[in-house]
Amino acid sequence: METLVKKIDCKNIDINLIREAAQLIRAGELVAFPTETVYGLGADALHREGAEKIYSAKGRPSDNPLIVHIAEFKALEKITAAVPQEAWKLAEKFWPGPLTMIFPKSSAVPKTTTGGMETVAVRMPDHPVALALIRESGGYIAAPSANTSGKPSPTLAEHVYLDLKGRVPLILDGGGVGIGIESTIIDLSEKVPTILRPGYITKKMISEIIGEVRDDPGLISEDAAVRPKAPGMKYKHYAPKADLTVINGPQKQVIKKINELSAEKLARGRKVGVIGTDESISCYQCTCAKSIGSRCDEDAIARHLYGILREFDDMEIDDIYSESFATPRIGQAIMNRLLKAAGHQVINV
Ligand code: TXA
Ligand code: MG
């Protein structure tokens, strides 16, 4: 299959191109498209074959459910069996935006879309291309991140192309995404609403609207017996090819430790990469040190994380040492992704 990459101007949407993409979705095909978080690999959420194509293109286990993307609030009714009051409050505040909510599903949603589950994850993305595509395609697009399973999520159309060329007929290239890490997922079916995946919308932001919220114990536990409730969180995700270690502690000691470790590896003929910040980058002796952005700009850190991991892959780096980025607001989400990429290898100094 030939993969076409077509540029689309987010400020001046070419509706003919959107219709061309929507026709593919309606015909049961796949289309990759930008959202504000990461690029998605879309198919018609209400048709069995759509989801099946997604699983096979990504090499994704078919018990890992997909998020259904909608463009109108009223679209919720058709695909859910019940919508609690809290959900409407959260939707009003955060949709369109990077928040995914879990609901009991209606019979309109095939089990292939939900990975066999009786619940359905839904979000309304805050991106003009995504919203236009959803509307023209019939209102319901199932879309996981558009990477091959196990790779960092794509923040550029080029990433999608490298991962999925030959397996998707069309990629809409809307340029770099705004946020760079996937949406927050919240499950409202529990007594206390539970965050299954941290993201740009934080626990604090959510609890300001609906009161008490907790983290899924499976999310933070290092004990493998505690299973995360979002099936996708159990897989070793976001993994770069290199061996990644996070160094945690006061800045000066972190830099010293990373320089020592890099020197040891370099002496053994390994290719080493370092993830630092604008403030620290000049302190690293290693030639492959990259800045993820300024420590004062946590949005930039989130936006650059996956791209840097991919750049190191392209350079065939053997070992990556990264600073820790437990920044005040979205630090939990950033560290969730970074620690997964590192397989929880952390050195405290
Ligand atoms: O920002 C995002 O959410 C991006 C963009 C494209 O919208 N999408 C995304 O999808 O990250 P994906 O498939 O890569 O991650 C979806 C996560 C998985 O961990 C999956 O297990 C979980 O959501 N999930 C989906 N439906 C669920 C359900 N019914 N119950 C529990 N977890 C669910
Ligand atoms: Mg994903």
Side-chain angles (χ1 to χ4, degrees):
M1 175 194 298
E2 194 195 354
T3 297
L4 296 175
V5 181
K6 296 198 175 176
K7 284 216 182 324
I8 184 155
D9 181 351
C10 300
K11 293 205 181 80
N12 181 20
I13 299 229
D14 174 356
I15 193 69
N16 290 323
L17 178 50
I18 293 287
R19 290 201 176 119
E20 186 189 317
Q23 228 158 32
L24 285 167
I25 301 259
R26 285 173 184 274
E29 273 303 332
L30 304 178
V31 174
F33 62 96
T35 81
E36 83 280 35
T37 56
V38 299
Y39 272 75
L41 178 63
D44 188 334
L46 304 189
H47 280 96
R48 241 188 75 210
E49 297 79 18
E52 279 165 358
K53 276 202 179 142
I54 289 177
Y55 292 119
S56 84
K58 274 185 63 105
R60 174 175 174 127
S62 61
D63 67 346
N64 190 1
L66 306 170
I67 296 173
V68 178
H69 295 66
I70 59 173
E72 316 287 344
F73 288 87
K74 64 176 190 303
L76 254 188
E77 280 159 28
K78 181 168 174 180
I79 53 174
T80 56
V83 179
Q85 206 48 46
E86 288 87 7
W88 289 116
K89 285 190 196 157
L90 291 175
E92 202 174 295
K93 178 77 181 172
F94 298 117
W95 279 2
L99 179 70
T100 296
M101 291 189 263
I102 312 271
F103 303 97
K105 78 173 196 72
S106 77
S107 60
V109 188
K111 282 244 181 120
T112 44
T113 295
T114 64
M117 297 177 85
E118 285 302 334
T119 51
V120 60
V122 188
R123 99 173 178 100
M124 188 188 290
D126 186 14
H127 195 288
V129 172
L131 291 170
L133 181 64
I134 296 163
R135 287 197 183 104
E136 290 296 322
S137 304
Y140 302 93
I141 293 186
S145 49
N147 49 295
T148 39
S149 232
K151 291 263 275 181
S153 292
T155 52
L156 292 172
E158 285 90 318
H159 299 158
V160 182
Y161 184 75
L162 287 170
D163 279 13
L164 296 178
K165 77 171 166 283
R167 281 179 281 162
V168 50
L170 177 62
I171 300 169
L172 295 176
D173 179 359
V177 299
I179 293 178
I181 52 178
E182 308 84 348
S183 61
T184 306
I185 303 179
I186 184 159
D187 184 351
L188 298 164
S189 71
E190 307 236 0
K191 213 159 100 201
V192 179
T194 303
I195 292 184
L196 307 189
R197 179 174 73 182
Y200 186 84
I201 307 282
T202 62
K203 187 157 85 177
K204 182 162 175 285
M205 289 158 82
I206 295 172
S207 66
E208 275 164 12
I209 310 295
I210 60 166
E212 193 189 355
V213 177
R214 60 168 199 148
D215 287 311
D216 176 15
L219 197 65
I220 33 193
S221 171
E222 282 174 24
D223 176 0
V226 184
R227 309 280 301 271
K229 206 175 168 196
M233 301 300 278
K234 73 175 180 254
Y235 298 107
K236 185 173 188 246
H237 237 159
Y238 323 115
K241 287 180 215 151
D243 199 24
L244 168 62
T245 308
V246 176
I247 318 297
N248 188 35
Q251 181 83 343
K252 256 189 161 161
Q253 272 122 285
V254 167
I255 293 170
K256 184 163 169 272
K257 186 73 183 175
I258 290 182
N259 277 330
E260 281 168 18
L261 290 165
S262 312
E264 272 169 36
K265 294 282 178 176
L266 287 166
R268 285 172 24 210
R270 306 212 8 135
K271 281 181 90 175
V272 177
V274 171
I275 305 179
T277 60
D278 289 357
E279 290 80 9
S280 66
I281 202 73
S282 63
C283 305
Y284 291 110
Q285 282 130 25
C286 157
T287 48
C288 301
K290 289 181 188 287
S291 172
I292 195 166
S294 167
R295 268 207 183 263
C296 310
D297 183 357
E298 53 178 327
D299 290 344
I301 294 175
R303 195 163 59 241
H304 296 146
L305 175 62
Y306 288 147
I308 287 197
L309 294 177
R310 281 179 179 264
E311 281 171 35
F312 282 142
D313 270 355
D314 294 344
M315 294 166 70
E316 305 202 306
I317 295 287
D318 300 304
D319 300 279
I320 305 171
Y321 296 108
S322 177
E323 293 179 18
S324 184
F325 308 104
T327 57
R329 194 172 41 84
I330 46 173
Q332 191 201 5
I334 295 169
M335 289 311 291
N336 170 268
R337 309 310 193 270
L338 185 62
L339 289 173
K340 280 189 145 209
H344 290 269
Q345 282 190 97
V346 182
I347 299 176
N348 290 306
V349 290

